[in-house]
Amino acid sequence: MFRLLSHQGKRTQSCLAAQRRYEHHRAVMAIRREDVNPWERRAPLAPRHVKELTNAGVKVLVQPSNRRAIHEKYYLRAGAVVQEDISEASLIIGVKRLPEEKVIPRKTYAFFSHTIKAQEANMGLLEDLLTKEVRLIDYEKMVDPNGYRIVAFGQWAGVAGMINILHGLGLRFLALGHHTPFMHIGMAHNYRNVSQAVQAVRDCGYEISMGLMPKSIGPVTFCFTGTGNVSKGAQDILNELPVEYVEPHELKDVSETEDLSKVYATVLSRHHHLVRKSDGIYDPMEYENHPELYTSHFRTSVAPYTTCLINGIYWDPHTPRLLRRLDAQKLIRPSKSSHVFAEGSPGLPHKLLAICDISADTGGSIEFMTECTTIDKPFCMYDADQHIDHDSVEGNGILMCSIDNLPAQLPIEATEYFGDRLFPYIWEMLPSDATRPLEEEEFSPQVRDAVITSNGALTPKFEYIEKLRERREKAQIMKKSGMKRVLLLGSGYVSGPVVEYLTRDEKTQVTVASVLLKQAEELAAKYPNTIPVTLDVSSQEGHLDSLVKDHDLVISVLPYSFHPLIAKHCIKRKVNMVTASYLSPAMKELHSSAEEAGITIVNEMGLDPGIDHMLAMECIDQAKADGCTVESYSSFCGGLPAPECSDNPLRYKFSWSPYGVLLNTISPAIFLRDNQVVSIPAGGSLMESSTPMDFLPGFNLEGFPNRDSTKYAEPYGIQTAHTLIRGTLRFKGFSKAMSGFVKLGLIHSEASPILHHSASPVSWKELLCTQMGLSPSVSNEAFEDAVYERIGKDDFGMDSLRWFGMLSDEPVPHADSVLAALAKHLEAKLSFEKSERDMIILRNDVGLRHPTGELETKHISLVVYGDPNGFSAMAKTVGYPAAIAARMVLDGEIMTKGLVVPMVKEVYGPALARLKEEGLNFMSKSTIEE
């Protein structure tokens, strides 16, 4: 009988577990759904493990999943509660990583995170776990005192990998002209259970023992590297064939025998192939401490006599490789043979036909295995001469199989096996409270040493991850010489045009640093010389500094509040900087420091501020040159949906930060009208001050003042103006609908405990009742009457609230504040669909008194539409100005040191000309009064 089937997991005895089980009658844990890889059908615990937990009083939540191989009815029978919401659990366990957006803050999670080697693909998840103060227990680091993993699927990786490569060998032999018994073995996941797979291998073995292998291919030989669970699992499968094991040095002789009624195998340990570079001796103690002193002769002593290599060894960058590209080139050279082969029974092109790299360590012990294969595309051919992989079993080269989730092919047995090893440690994980310091937890060394993150930081044992990641990033950034290197902070709405514009120059390289790695990767995939990295500016100042140091210029499209911090690092490292945000007081304080450092920091280089400044100064400077006096200045700008996409009560959709848009509606404003300063207080009066704007009557616009307009009299040089206002444009109806939100207290940025991630969900009706001081149990009629009264008996406002589902039991998104929750809610309702487009409208009206006494009003307009298949209007009008300024600084066109705004001709002249080249066309008209 197949040996693996009798290996029921030997449960590690845990005194701590036995002592504490009685405490767990109130504990709640959850088994989460696997939702990243479509082939992932495993679970961390089987129903029999769950039954033992529920019998001890533990509440076990199981997220429903039709993909899970073990039906949920078996978990129900074991006493589990199958439900979607698992936020009640303090311990959440899974098999593989979860999407960042599904991480619940301040919980204890256990899963394979694949972060311990600073794998870039999972750095975004690691950042999210740190930000959300999650305690992560990584199964991969749960080891015994000898360093061997105690919670793993390793044996089942070996089983599945061996079944797969036997199937692959059958295909490869067929492509080379040979039908073999291996053709009757399928992929591991095609069998209902491992017993069926074993029977197929036995049937193959029977045919081999009957002498049904083609003579012209010679004996088939297998080499297993490593002696751990992976290798043992693979050997268990091979043992179902007629196999003779030999020592590695005997492989050459048996590969030349004529006995085809069996296969041959060898198991390679370190002493078989590792030797000291200096004298050819192997010292096991020295190798443990100094592997870099050793090399492997596997390529010459064993590989030439191996048909199929099954690689199961862990590789470290300091250890010797088994095979390099050069070795593969030599191994696929045509073999010299004295045999004469007939056309119908051809010989093999070379001995080494296949490699099953179960370790799936890209660029590791098999140097040329640079990308894993997948369960749905399990094989590729590696052509060492061309150094390319192609999806086939035909052609020249070595058949490669390097699936990195092999146990998922045998999910039921793998779940049982893994659960037996994990279960003893569940008892000590259950009381874990992620909000407590790690030192207060009563963990065994096996669990404590596997905690990667806790309380918002990497644990001391894993602090190396950050340094390893930074070294890898630096090597990638500095790889190409002679490049101008730009660090772009942020990968959101406006980053695309920045990258597109700058990378038109093949000598410019852009590093996109974002807290959302996936977003940065998507951006980098579209453009040449673009590198994605993960960075959270708010919590990784050291990482920010190292990135700034390696670049020639930094562009920040992050919120303005981060800019002083970024600027300080730019000053420290003497690196130029560009932003599209307003020049804040905190930034102004850095002017002299930037001058002393000899760097340029360009601010307000977007749309508003940015293009509005440049158009204003172009007009004002020319007017002054013509001897005119500026008597009035009005500038209104807005990012809007195109009219055909504005079918909602706000007549608005988000192409910019939703939170910022909402917060601006309660800001104060100051402007000058007919020499009178008009002040609008903070708190909501702004929405009451909106007025119709009829300069483009077809658009039905309204406008309201924006911040302090009076401060622009001096920088614009228009102290003579009796009217000075800068404002925001919206479609008519926005202010009225938004005023209702303000009156209901929804534009409120202070912390709201009832909306906290750990709080029970609340509905919009319940939240509004709380805001108005009503009982949540009040009748719907009384509730709506109270809302109607609160918003000033405004029918349009009520219709707006109904449209947004805010008078219903629809749940409010979890957030830190009411304002943040509203931003999330509206963003979900008012996001642009793929086929929709946005629009930018900018209008400057400048009143000029000529020396003749004539009053001329210059009307300067910009209307830009977004491209549904390209960049949004907002992205173009913010991103391109920032990119143009960056190019001007890189090329030495902007030489001024310190803080610079685009109000001088050396900046606005070239910039406006280049914006026209990007399709941003400005219209200018005049009206004259005598």
Side-chain angles (χ1 to χ4, degrees):
M1 185 61 185
F2 182 49
R3 183 158 60 94
L4 266 178
L5 295 179
S6 65
H7 279 197
Q8 294 299 329
K10 297 177 181 178
R11 299 187 183 177
T12 307
Q13 294 300 312
S14 172
C15 297
L16 184 62
Q19 292 168 0
R20 300 178 76 178
R21 289 188 190 196
Y22 73 91
E23 300 174 9
H24 296 305
H25 62 284
R26 292 182 182 174
V28 182
M29 67 166 288
I31 298 174
R32 69 170 309 276
R33 175 174 52 247
E34 303 297 321
D35 47 12
V36 171
N37 189 305
W39 284 96
E40 191 50 80
R41 297 172 292 158
R42 294 172 287 176
L45 296 177
R48 59 185 173 85
H49 305 118
V50 170
K51 187 171 182 61
E52 194 164 339
L53 288 164
T54 57
N55 285 345
V58 178
K59 184 176 182 180
V60 180
L61 307 177
V62 176
Q63 269 192 324
S65 173
N66 289 348
R67 183 181 292 148
R68 193 181 292 120
I70 299 177
H71 198 279
E72 62 189 38
K73 72 177 182 181
Y74 296 110
Y75 286 100
L76 284 168
R77 288 177 188 173
V81 178
V82 177
Q83 65 181 47
E84 185 65 31
D85 183 9
I86 57 173
S87 59
E88 182 186 358
S90 57
L91 171 66
I92 301 172
I93 64 173
V95 176
K96 294 288 190 176
R97 60 158 291 166
L98 67 162
E100 286 95 322
E101 65 273 13
K102 295 189 177 179
V103 175
I104 304 173
R106 291 174 281 281
K107 301 288 185 184
T108 298
Y109 278 85
F111 57 89
F112 287 107
S113 71
H114 300 295
T115 58
I116 60 172
K117 296 179 186 175
Q119 294 97 315
E120 192 58 42
N122 296 319
M123 289 299 97
L125 172 63
L126 186 63
E127 290 299 338
D128 200 64
L129 296 173
L130 290 167
T131 301
K132 293 178 178 175
E133 298 181 10
V134 163
R135 177 171 293 152
L136 168 62
I137 301 169
D138 194 315
Y139 305 133
E140 192 170 357
K141 299 308 293 181
M142 293 180 68
V143 297
D144 65 16
N146 296 317
Y148 292 108
R149 288 171 59 184
I150 53 178
V151 179
F153 291 99
Q155 200 154 354
W156 289 94
V159 171
M162 194 69 218
I163 295 168
N164 292 340
I165 202 62
L166 291 177
H167 169 71
L169 272 176
L171 298 176
R172 181 59 180 154
F173 277 129
L174 188 64
L176 294 171
H178 309 281
H179 171 80
T180 66
F182 297 117
M183 279 297 296
H184 302 306
I185 300 174
M187 289 289 288
H189 61 267
N190 288 336
Y191 299 102
R192 185 174 179 276
N193 54 46
V194 75
S195 299
Q196 290 185 352
V198 167
Q199 189 57 53
V201 177
R202 285 176 180 167
D203 291 344
C204 170
Y206 176 74
E207 292 190 19
I208 292 173
S209 68
M210 294 290 290
L212 299 182
M213 288 289 286
K215 291 184 179 180
S216 60
I217 68 175
V220 176
T221 57
F222 295 86
C223 177
F224 298 90
T225 61
T227 56
N229 288 333
V230 168
S231 182
K232 288 173 182 174
Q235 290 172 52
D236 281 327
I237 291 295
L238 192 72
N239 290 343
E240 300 300 330
L241 300 178
V243 58
E244 179 182 336
Y245 283 86
V246 299
E247 289 296 310
H249 69 272
E250 298 174 317
L251 207 59
K252 179 180 180 182
D253 292 335
V254 300
S255 69
E256 296 170 356
T257 67
E258 298 293 331
D259 188 355
L260 301 182
S261 63
K262 58 185 172 183
V263 299
Y264 295 91
T266 190
V267 180
L268 196 73
S269 295
R270 289 175 177 177
H271 68 275
H272 290 130
H273 68 112
L274 294 173
V275 292
R276 194 159 43 219
K277 295 173 185 177
S278 59
D279 58 11
I281 303 297
Y282 175 68
D283 180 338
M285 294 299 291
E286 182 185 52
Y287 179 76
E288 283 291 338
N289 296 315
H290 296 286
E292 71 279 0
L293 301 177
Y294 285 73
T295 187
S296 169
H297 56 65
F298 172 78
R299 63 185 73 95
T300 56
S301 62
V302 182
Y305 314 109
T306 300
T307 306
C308 179
L309 168 63
I310 297 92
N311 183 40
I313 56 174
Y314 174 84
W315 184 77
D316 181 89
H318 300 294
T319 59
R321 298 185 193 275
L322 271 181
L323 290 174
R324 303 159 301 172
R325 179 191 174 190
L326 181 62
D327 304 324
Q329 287 176 323
K330 292 177 180 177
L331 290 167
I332 66 171
R333 287 175 186 165
S335 56
K336 296 174 183 178
S337 174
S338 58
H339 294 284
V340 178
F341 300 107
E343 185 176 349
S345 55
L348 298 176
H350 42 79
K351 184 66 178 176
L352 183 61
L353 294 183
I355 296 175
C356 182
D357 193 353
I358 300 175
S359 72
D361 212 342
T362 53
S365 53
I366 310 295
E367 182 187 39
F368 46 84
M369 198 289 283
T370 56
E371 189 173 347
C372 290
T373 58
T374 61
I375 294 175
D376 47 344
K377 290 186 178 179
F379 305 112
C380 69
M381 290 293 296
Y382 175 66
D383 185 337
D385 290 328
Q386 301 293 323
H387 194 45
I388 57 171
D389 296 325
H390 51 91
D391 291 334
S392 174
V393 295
E394 300 178 2
N396 298 322
I398 301 168
L399 183 76
M400 303 289 296
C401 181
S402 52
I403 299 168
D404 63 359
N405 59 334
L406 286 164
Q409 292 183 274
L410 299 166
I412 296 176
E413 293 93 336
T415 295
E416 295 276 357
Y417 177 91
F418 185 83
D420 285 342
R421 281 144 186 80
L422 173 63
F423 185 74
Y425 299 97
I426 291 293
W427 300 104
E428 60 180 283
M429 293 180 190
L430 275 169
S432 173
D433 180 349
T435 64
R436 278 199 306 252
L438 181 59
E439 305 77 50
E440 294 182 12
E441 302 293 354
E442 296 181 41
F443 289 151
S444 64
Q446 288 83 357
V447 173
R448 183 177 300 278
D449 291 347
V451 177
I452 292 180
T453 66
S454 187
N455 308 102
L458 290 167
T459 56
K461 188 178 177 182
F462 296 99
E463 288 174 349
Y464 74 87
I465 292 175
E466 189 61 37
K467 296 181 179 64
L468 179 61
R469 178 175 158 205
E470 288 180 17
R471 284 201 301 271
R472 186 177 296 161
E473 285 176 357
K474 185 179 180 73
Q476 189 180 12
I477 291 166
M478 306 305 289
K479 187 175 181 180
K480 290 184 179 180
S481 60
M483 304 293 283
K484 290 181 178 178
R485 296 183 174 87
V486 176
L487 174 62
L488 173 61
L489 300 176
S491 59
Y493 290 112
V494 302
S495 300
V498 176
V499 180
E500 187 276 327
Y501 188 89
L502 291 173
T503 55
R504 292 177 194 173
D505 175 17
E506 62 182 16
K507 286 295 183 182
T508 300
Q509 176 179 289
V510 178
T511 302
V512 183
S514 172
V515 72
L516 302 173
L517 180 62
K518 187 176 180 182
Q519 203 174 66
E521 287 174 336
E522 289 171 355
L523 197 57
K526 295 178 183 177
Y527 304 106
N529 298 325
T530 306
I531 299 167
V533 300
T534 308
L535 174 68
D536 185 348
V537 171
S538 65
S539 62
Q540 294 179 295
E541 201 171 335
H543 190 193
L544 169 65
D545 187 65
S546 68
L547 284 170
V548 170
K549 180 178 64 176
D550 293 334
H551 291 80
D552 302 303
L553 181 139
V554 175
I555 302 173
S556 176
V557 292
L558 296 175
Y560 75 94
S561 57
F562 291 115
H563 292 160
L565 171 67
I566 297 163
K568 287 174 185 176
H569 286 282
C570 288
I571 290 166
K572 174 184 173 183
R573 298 297 179 182
K574 298 187 177 180
V575 173
N576 297 315
M577 178 178 172
V578 173
T579 86
S581 300
Y582 281 104
L583 186 58
S584 66
M587 285 292 284
K588 288 179 181 177
E589 291 176 4
L590 300 174
H591 177 66
S592 58
S593 298
E595 275 187 320
E596 289 170 14
I599 68 166
T600 300
I601 300 180
V602 182
N603 299 268
E604 305 194 2
M605 197 63 183
L607 167 65
D608 173 8
I611 294 176
D612 58 344
H613 289 333
M614 294 190 283
L615 290 174
M617 293 312 301
E618 183 181 50
C619 176
I620 291 166
D621 284 350
Q622 184 60 52
K624 288 181 177 179
D626 294 340
C628 298
T629 302
V630 177
E631 292 197 352
S632 64
Y633 176 80
S634 168
S635 178
F636 279 81
C637 182
L640 302 159
E644 72 274 15
C645 306
S646 62
D647 54 344
N648 65 74
L650 281 181
R651 281 75 161 142
Y652 189 77
K653 290 196 174 183
F654 293 103
S655 60
W656 196 242
S657 165
Y659 189 92
V661 169
L662 295 173
L663 193 59
N664 282 344
T665 63
I666 58 168
S667 297
I670 302 174
F671 62 95
L672 188 67
R673 182 170 57 204
D674 297 330
N675 285 322
Q676 298 294 314
V677 174
V678 180
S679 180
I680 298 172
S685 300
L686 191 63
M687 293 297 95
E688 306 295 331
S689 69
S690 67
T691 55
M693 308 295 288
D694 58 1
F695 53 82
L696 295 173
F699 283 127
N700 197 21
L701 298 167
E702 65 181 23
F704 47 86
N706 184 19
R707 308 191 190 209
D708 182 2
S709 300
T710 61
K711 68 181 183 181
Y712 286 93
E714 186 176 339
Y716 280 6
I718 55 172
Q719 292 90 335
T720 54
H722 58 71
T723 296
L724 175 53
I725 183 169
R726 299 174 80 253
T728 300
L729 291 174
R730 294 286 182 260
F731 286 129
K732 193 173 180 181
F734 176 90
S735 298
K736 201 170 186 182
M738 192 60 71
S739 182
F741 295 154
V742 173
K743 290 172 181 175
L744 288 168
L746 296 176
I747 314 297
H748 191 65
S749 59
E750 291 185 14
S752 177
I754 66 169
L755 297 179
H756 196 268
H757 292 277
S758 60
S760 299
V762 299
S763 69
W764 280 106
K765 178 188 174 184
E766 290 170 325
L767 177 63
L768 290 178
C769 284
T770 302
Q771 296 294 99
M772 295 186 295
L774 298 176
S775 167
S777 61
V778 69
S779 70
N780 284 339
E781 184 178 358
F783 164 66
E784 292 199 10
D785 285 346
V787 172
Y788 189 59
E789 194 71 34
R790 180 65 65 96
I791 64 172
K793 298 182 178 180
D794 179 13
D795 293 332
F796 178 75
M798 289 296 286
D799 290 341
S800 299
L801 290 166
R802 283 195 190 92
W803 193 94
F804 287 114
M806 294 169 67
L807 299 179
S808 70
D809 291 327
E810 188 173 336
V812 181
H814 283 297
D816 293 330
S817 65
V818 174
L819 176 57
L822 180 63
K824 285 184 179 181
H825 184 71
L826 294 184
E827 185 173 26
K829 301 274 187 182
L830 301 179
S831 292
F832 283 92
E833 301 294 333
K834 271 194 171 182
S835 60
E836 294 182 331
R837 58 182 184 158
D838 70 329
M839 176 177 69
I840 290 296
I841 300 178
L842 169 63
R843 172 71 166 220
N844 285 355
D845 294 298
V846 188
L848 307 173
R849 181 71 65 181
H850 284 265
T852 60
E854 287 180 326
L855 178 63
E856 177 185 8
T857 304
K858 288 272 190 182
H859 310 288
I860 306 160
S861 302
L862 171 66
V863 179
V864 180
Y865 288 94
D867 179 358
N869 299 312
F871 298 130
S872 68
M874 181 65 77
K876 286 188 276 191
T877 53
V878 176
Y880 280 134
I884 288 167
R887 172 59 59 204
M888 291 172 71
V889 174
L890 287 170
D891 293 347
E893 291 183 79
I894 299 177
M895 300 294 291
T896 306
K897 305 305 176 186
L899 301 185
V900 175
V901 288
M903 297 183 191
V904 292
K905 194 167 186 177
E906 67 163 326
V907 178
Y908 73 67
L912 288 174
R914 288 168 201 177
L915 286 170
K916 288 178 184 176
E917 292 171 5
E918 301 304 321
L920 274 63
N921 297 308
F922 314 108
M923 298 172 288
S924 183
K925 296 180 180 178
S926 291
T927 54
I928 305 290
E929 292 180 26
E930 294 295 332

